[in-house]
Amino acid sequence: MDAFIQLLNGFSIAIAPMNLAFAAIGVLLGTAVGVLPGIGPALTVALLLPATFKLDPGGSLIMFAGIYYGGMYGGSTTAILLNTPGEAASVVTALEGNQMARKGRGGPALATAAIGSFVAALIATIGLAFLAPILVKLAVKFGPWDYFGLMLIAFVTVSATFGSSPLRGLTSLGIGLWLGLIGIDQLTGQTRLAFGVPNLFDGIEVTTLAVGLFAIGEALHVASRHMYAPEKPIPIKGSIWMTRADWARSWKPWLRGAAFGFPIGALPAGGAEIPTFLSYTTERKLAKHPEEFGHGAIEGVAGPEAANNASAAGSLVPLLTLGLPTSATAAVMLAGFQQYNIQPGPLLFVQHADLVWGLIASLFIANVMLLVLNLPMVGLWVQLLKIPLPWLYAGILVFATMGTIAANPSVVELLLLSGFGLLGFLMRRYDYPVAPVIVGLILGPMADSQLRRALQMSLGDPMVLLQHPGSAAMIAIAVIALVAPFVFKGLARFRQDED
Amino acid sequence: MSFFTRRLAAACLAVMAAVAPAAAQELELTITAPAGAGGGWDAAARSLQEVMMKTGAAKSVQVVNVPGAGGTVGLAQFAQSAKGAPDQLLVGGITMVGAILTNKAPVNLGDVTPIARLTGDPLVVVVPKDSPHQTLADLTAAIKADVANTIWAGGSAGGADHILAALITQAAGADPSKVNYVAYSGGGEALAAMLGGQVTAGISGYGEWQGQIESGDLRALAISYPEPIEGIAAQPLKAQGVDVELVNWRGVFAGPDISDADKQALGAAIEQTVKSPEWQELLKARGWTDYYAPADEFKAFVESENERVHATLKSIGLAE
């Protein structure tokens, strides 16, 4: 109950009119910068952090929270409307969200993303307030073997879910894993496959790959077809608001997404990507109309967006209790704390209880503010799609390039962007799914380091993966998920033969 | 689209207005942080920006992030673009010395002009609270008995943490090429491995683990500073019979071939900054230790560090 009283106290600070105004400014600034393709929330927060320096700690944290949520929402907006995810975690949102937008249902897609984020953040904030001390004790017990097991599950489910056949999914995943090998190996410091190009030493930037495959590939695709069958600007069909059916199809994915996002986000190496992938796969499996997936299923936007936001709140668990930033955004937040001489860690809840609860309350207020300010603007955002296609895609190319250059100013990065754009175009032309490439790039290096860390700790004994119950169970699930479809197919054939 | 650009312009203006107070001097600096937002070098660059503009040591300061490969990408770019420039600075540190060697980078710190050493933080050697090792002597005895089974956790391979693990192993009388060092992306991720009891000992910047040390979740055995530090209970390695010292230093460099007058002007601006009460306050807030040294002293220091780091990396097998 103590936590509850302190949370209320935090609210009483955050709800002061001046602080509400800071929240509103933060949300507006965050959204405005976050909508630039290729600029994710971390970069948005880093760019705008100086704007909060002049305020008192309370006002600054609130504006900060506003910028953060605005940046996240801005990123989803471009992922849905323009198919240009600004960060890895909104890659999945772009899959179904953009298909919805192309069918004239951009309004409901944006709405379900915003409301789903709100619901998930609400649940996760409550979880943060009451479960943080318990969760963190469990999370540090998660060893490298367990992470490896979790990643195997992600690999199997993703390659089976995306694309028209598992083989195509696995091929795309293979390309991603290969791209993931490029750069300095984390465990030995040696470079792999970089051919002496210094810009490749840190590996391929995920946003460059995502923007290249999605946005540039898309623009090339549109251009290649324009001569034969000029596409018309996408008309907005039906209401820009969510219908009753949309609500009915969204609420369960929101809750399930939050259930994936919060605990995995709370793991010290969990991140936001895995829960969005798992949420998408789950929704596809559970959906009444799985055939709609890939053509604009609202569940595929609602679930992953909720998972993304819940994991963002989840990542505050290790940040506030261990001082451990598990994402780029959390690292920037850490800097935000440090400007007030506050070092997050196990003593933070004791020493600076008012600020911590103030931050949690501010995140909440900022989230409400986001909903209040942005839902009415959904109608305005979707007007973007009325722009004639050649103009729209020219604009996308300019903004996608600008976003990439802003994050990493180098010629090599531009060449990579163009190369990935061409790859995305070819993959689309020959019907290979692009999402597994990005999954491979993100999770490949993580699985690589975690497996080798596990082996390093066991002095090279591979049995370590089976000796820990957690990793053994997860590896078993992954193997079953991989083999089961083939076994069932075999059984079905066997029965047919019997008849 | 104009709606877009108008809002972006408004955002940019708001940011600029917030970070541009009036200043007396004419110096318009650009500081390159050879790392992404959120890291130590970025923090150092932005701290310099904040204090230089507050104290009037510079009229305006812009921070540019060029991330990549332990700072060597930023260094290579800086060595080219800042040649002879009177208004360009680069932040660097001991990790960059190691990265230049392990990456066989074409440009090294001898190619740029050292201006000043700024901060120097102690590294700390810790064990989990349930560890059987109560003292540093227990740990070194364990290293001597079975070097492969003494598992270390710390920051990136070839970085300061890794170098210290190798130096301690060597001082304990074991073969440093056999050191079983599990590299994490930073002190934070390594912390989870420490708290989970998956490794024997860990190394990180003292500030990063201060909270866990004070709360008793980690037991600090020693710090890597040559002398004891006020407010830190753990004693230096040297005072405990392990003849090793290592300071995680950061400094600023100017481009190659700058004139003596420009070098002096930059040095003076930095000196004015680090001697200000604002800087001391900021050091305290960030948990950094003052380690200021002017240009000539810093130059000799960088050379000796380069030799020492090279020898250690060679002994681990990470450099030739």
Side-chain angles (χ1 to χ4, degrees), chain A residues 239-284:
Chain A
S239 166
I240 61 163
W241 302 111
M242 288 168 70
T243 62
R244 189 179 286 266
D246 290 334
W247 281 95
R249 289 174 62 178
S250 290
W251 70 271
K252 279 191 211 148
W254 290 339
L255 297 185
R256 281 192 290 259
F260 275 118
F262 183 63
I264 296 182
L267 290 176
E273 296 90 2
I274 300 178
T276 57
F277 297 141
L278 290 181
S279 163
Y280 182 82
T281 314
T282 311
E283 295 314 327
R284 186 170 175 156

Side-chain angles (χ1 to χ4, degrees), chain A residues 27-29 31-33 35-37 42-43 46-48 50-54 78 82 140-145 184-191 198-199 201-202 268-269 321-325 328 331-332 335 338-343 345-347 351 374 377 380-381 384 387 391-392 395-396 399 402 407-410 450 453 456-459, chain B residues 1 3-5 7-8 10-12 14-15 18-19 21 37-39 43 46 49-50 54 64-70 72-73 76-77 102-106 146 148-149 151 156-158 162 179-193 195-199 207-208 210-212 214-215 217 281 284-287 317-319:
Chain A
V27 166
L28 283 178
L29 280 179
T31 314
V33 178
V35 290
L36 295 178
L43 193 58
L47 286 174
L48 294 178
T52 68
F53 278 153
K54 304 272 152 202
T78 37
L82 306 180
V140 295
K141 294 277 174 226
F142 224 71
W145 30 83
I184 293 177
D185 167 35
Q186 215 193 357
L187 290 180
T188 59
Q190 304 301 305
T191 46
N199 299 75
F201 283 6
D202 273 356
T321 56
L322 295 175
L324 170 51
V332 181
Q338 281 170 334
Q339 60 174 307
Y340 299 111
N341 202 359
I342 297 162
Q343 186 64 44
L347 302 178
Q351 288 172 347
N374 277 323
M377 294 206 333
L380 205 62
W381 285 122
L384 264 185
I387 299 169
W391 296 17
L392 180 63
I396 290 177
F399 278 103
M402 256 173 53
N408 203 344
S410 86
Q450 298 291 11
R453 274 184 199 137
Q456 219 180 329
M457 288 178 191
S458 71
L459 303 186
Chain B
M1 212 43 77
F3 176 70
F4 250 119
T5 44
R7 294 232 319 202
L8 176 67
C12 290
V15 174
V19 296
R46 289 184 197 275
Q49 173 188 40
E50 191 186 322
K54 243 191 231 164
V64 183
N65 293 81
V66 187
T72 53
V73 173
Q77 190 172 320
T102 50
N103 299 340
K104 303 179 192 73
D146 190 350
N149 241 330
I151 305 164
S156 58
H162 195 174
V179 62
N180 192 352
Y181 181 87
V182 183
Y184 287 86
S185 60
E189 217 189 310
L191 176 65
L195 294 177
Q198 293 145 13
V199 295
E208 274 189 273
Q210 190 172 8
Q212 280 72 26
E214 282 170 8
S215 71
D217 290 315
E281 214 170 275
K284 228 166 123 196
R286 293 270 185 184
L318 284 182

Side-chain angles (χ1 to χ4, degrees), chain B residues 267-290:
Chain B
I270 294 289
E271 189 175 354
Q272 184 191 341
T273 310
V274 299
K275 298 254 161 91
S276 70
E278 285 92 343
W279 180 253
Q280 296 304 327
E281 214 170 275
L282 185 136
L283 289 182
K284 228 166 123 196
R286 293 270 185 184
W288 291 340
T289 314
D290 194 0

Side-chain angles (χ1 to χ4, degrees), chain A residues 97 111 158 178 195 286 418:
Chain A
V158 161
W178 170 68
F195 304 104
L286 293 178
S418 326

